[in-house]
Amino acid sequence: MGDTAAHAASEVADVTKDEVGKVAAETKKQTKDLLTDARSQLTEQASEQQARVAEGLRSISDELTQMASRVSSVTTSIWRFGNDDRPA
């Protein structure tokens, strides 16, 4: 009976070892998949944010260009007005 119990315990240990190995391998696979998904999502989000920032900067650049054009136009008008009042 002792040999039977020892043999059964050995089988349980072997099965347990196999199952622990399977669980460890599955955990490793799922962790790797999770990291890959997270990296992909973060890369996509960063790309989207970069595009929004670039668009915002283009918009600001356009507004500053328009403002500079208006200032230049006003400055030219003031200069012409001042020159028109000079005696000949």
Side-chain angles (χ1 to χ4, degrees):
M1 185 178 299
D3 287 339
T4 304
H7 182 67
S10 177
E11 285 184 28
V12 168
D14 288 343
V15 169
T16 301
K17 181 179 175 183
D18 288 344
E19 289 302 313
V20 167
K22 289 177 185 177
V23 169
E26 182 63 21
T27 300
K28 182 178 178 180
K29 179 192 174 301
Q30 288 182 6
T31 301
K32 184 178 178 181
D33 291 347
L34 181 63
L35 289 173
T36 299
D37 289 346
R39 183 180 296 123
S40 176
Q41 288 178 9
L42 288 173
T43 300
E44 183 179 336
Q45 289 174 6
S47 178
E48 290 172 2
Q49 288 177 355
Q50 182 180 11
R52 283 195 297 270
V53 167
E55 180 58 34
L57 290 174
R58 277 191 291 275
S59 177
I60 289 170
S61 174
D62 290 346
E63 289 179 28
L64 290 173
T65 299
Q66 290 172 3
M67 289 172 61
S69 177
R70 286 192 295 267
V71 166
S72 178
S73 177
V74 168
T75 303
T76 300
S77 295
I78 291 172
W79 182 81
R80 284 182 183 157
F81 180 75
N83 286 332
D84 288 346
D85 288 344
R86 286 188 177 173

